[in-house]
Amino acid sequence: RQRQMCIRDRLLSAMSIIKSSLDKQRILFCGAGSAAIGIADILCREMLHSGVDEKIAKNNLYLFDSDGLITVDREDLSEANLKYAQEVDLETNFSAAVEKLKPTIIIGVSGVGSVFEEKMVRNMTKENNRPIIFALSNPTSKSECTAEQAYNWSEGKAIFASGSPFDTVRLKGKTYHPAQGNNAYVFPGVGLGVVASGAT
């Protein structure tokens, strides 16, 4: 829950950068497990609170698992997946799904390293002036892409966040400081609790 709220806050910060709102975004998740569902639920609620119709909110959220896009014609879906099943043709390749859906935001919670490919990020950058790329799987070896890749492939235009920390990136005379997109709430609290209580 803490992680999901932190990701929501990172996305809201991204909205202030691009001067837009969540309901204007097309969000594609790489991963359709509990992490993806939890984040999707929070983003859906955020849109509902801003006055967006529930159907419109859910239509902005696409999930992709190891068998492909979560679509209404699939018969292998859990109840949690079903609420985000979309009326689109099944696509079993994530890169092809990005090309087809043209998302403004991709969120990686798959635990599969390097699934965000160069061509995919370059295509996103052609479609969006500031593509939002959250590669959230831990540890960094499982990250869907690195910060350096996201910035290089987008020519510095990507708004990037990761699940584990990445070093700063230098590109064409600019320095980019990758944001961490999870655990920002719970870790400081745990640290303060340990220090305050003298626990070991």
Side-chain angles (χ1 to χ4, degrees):
R1 175 78 178 172
Q2 296 284 344
R3 178 188 193 214
Q4 293 154 5
M5 295 298 287
C6 184
I7 292 162
R8 180 209 64 176
D9 289 352
R10 291 287 188 214
L11 283 172
L12 292 177
S13 294
M15 293 303 98
S16 68
I17 292 170
I18 66 173
K19 296 178 172 52
S20 187
S21 57
L22 283 174
D23 61 291
K24 301 290 195 302
Q25 309 310 307
R26 188 181 292 253
I27 304 166
L28 174 60
F29 290 84
C30 183
S34 59
I37 296 293
I39 297 166
D41 286 348
I42 285 174
L43 297 182
C44 191
R45 278 198 297 274
E46 188 69 32
M47 287 186 261
L48 293 177
H49 289 166
S50 64
V52 176
D53 180 77
E54 184 175 8
K55 186 175 181 182
I56 293 172
K58 286 184 176 177
N59 282 344
N60 292 336
L61 301 164
Y62 294 79
L63 278 65
F64 187 101
D65 68 8
S66 58
D67 292 315
L69 277 172
I70 302 299
T71 61
V72 293
D73 56 348
R74 281 181 54 178
E75 297 179 356
D76 61 336
L77 302 179
S78 69
E79 189 175 331
N81 289 143
L82 274 172
K83 63 184 172 181
Y84 293 109
Q86 298 282 6
E87 293 183 8
V88 295
D89 292 335
L90 177 65
E91 181 55 71
T92 57
N93 178 277
F94 187 73
S95 185
V98 170
E99 193 168 343
K100 175 190 284 187
L101 297 173
K102 297 180 174 30
T104 57
I105 300 169
I106 53 175
I107 299 175
V109 284
S110 64
V112 179
S114 304
V115 73
F116 292 174
E117 301 169 351
E118 180 174 0
K119 181 183 177 184
M120 175 194 314
V121 174
R122 291 195 183 280
N123 283 341
M124 276 190 75
T125 307
K126 284 179 186 175
E127 297 289 336
N128 310 286
N129 187 44
R130 299 298 305 273
I132 299 168
I133 299 169
F134 282 16
L136 300 175
S137 291
N138 291 313
T140 52
S141 62
K142 300 278 189 183
S143 185
E144 287 76 13
C145 71
T146 67
E148 185 173 16
Q149 289 169 334
Y151 292 128
N152 275 310
W153 296 341
S154 68
E155 299 177 357
K157 295 178 180 178
I159 298 171
F160 177 82
S162 60
S164 293
F166 281 102
D167 291 335
T168 57
V169 176
R170 291 280 297 169
L171 179 65
K172 296 182 180 178
K174 287 187 177 180
T175 301
Y176 298 86
H177 301 277
Q180 219 176 321
N182 66 354
N183 303 325
Y185 293 136
V186 69
F187 284 174
V190 170
L192 176 62
V194 168
V195 171
S197 67
T200 58

